[in-house]
Amino acid sequence: MTITDEINWSPFDFIIMGSLLIFFSIGINFVSNRAKNLKNRVLYIGILVIIFMLIWAELAVGLFGTPFAGS
């Protein structure tokens, strides 16, 4: 990357993160359109945020050590 050599992202990494962000935003849009109650809307969006953060952490540092994160 241009600022430091410690970040080593390939084009595939950018594609994966971009698709993760797109699916996350589609999920939030879907929940905000479908959930009528504010309490349920906040709950479902909170669950989506937690899932997004867990997937992001797994892809970034291998939090759980699954093959999903690579070697």
Side-chain angles (χ1 to χ4, degrees), residues 3 9 16 20 58 64:
I3 298 173
W9 277 30
I16 293 297
L20 186 61
E58 178 62 25
F64 304 112

Side-chain angles (χ1 to χ4, degrees), residues 4-5 7 15-16 43 47-48 57 60 67 70:
T4 179
D5 291 334
I7 300 172
I15 291 170
I16 293 297
L43 175 70
I47 290 171
L48 283 175

Side-chain angles (χ1 to χ4, degrees), residues 10-57:
S10 69
F12 182 70
D13 295 326
F14 283 101
I15 291 170
I16 293 297
M17 192 58 193
S19 63
L20 186 61
L21 286 171
I22 287 171
F23 285 122
F24 178 61
S25 62
I26 289 171
I28 288 178
N29 191 15
F30 180 78
V31 167
S32 64
N33 288 335
R34 295 291 175 143
K36 301 298 180 196
N37 189 358
L38 180 64
K39 184 178 176 182
N40 288 341
R41 188 179 301 169
V42 170
L43 175 70
Y44 296 146
I45 290 176
I47 290 171
L48 283 175
V49 168
I50 290 171
I51 290 170
F52 172 78
M53 297 290 277
L54 287 173
I55 291 173
W56 185 16

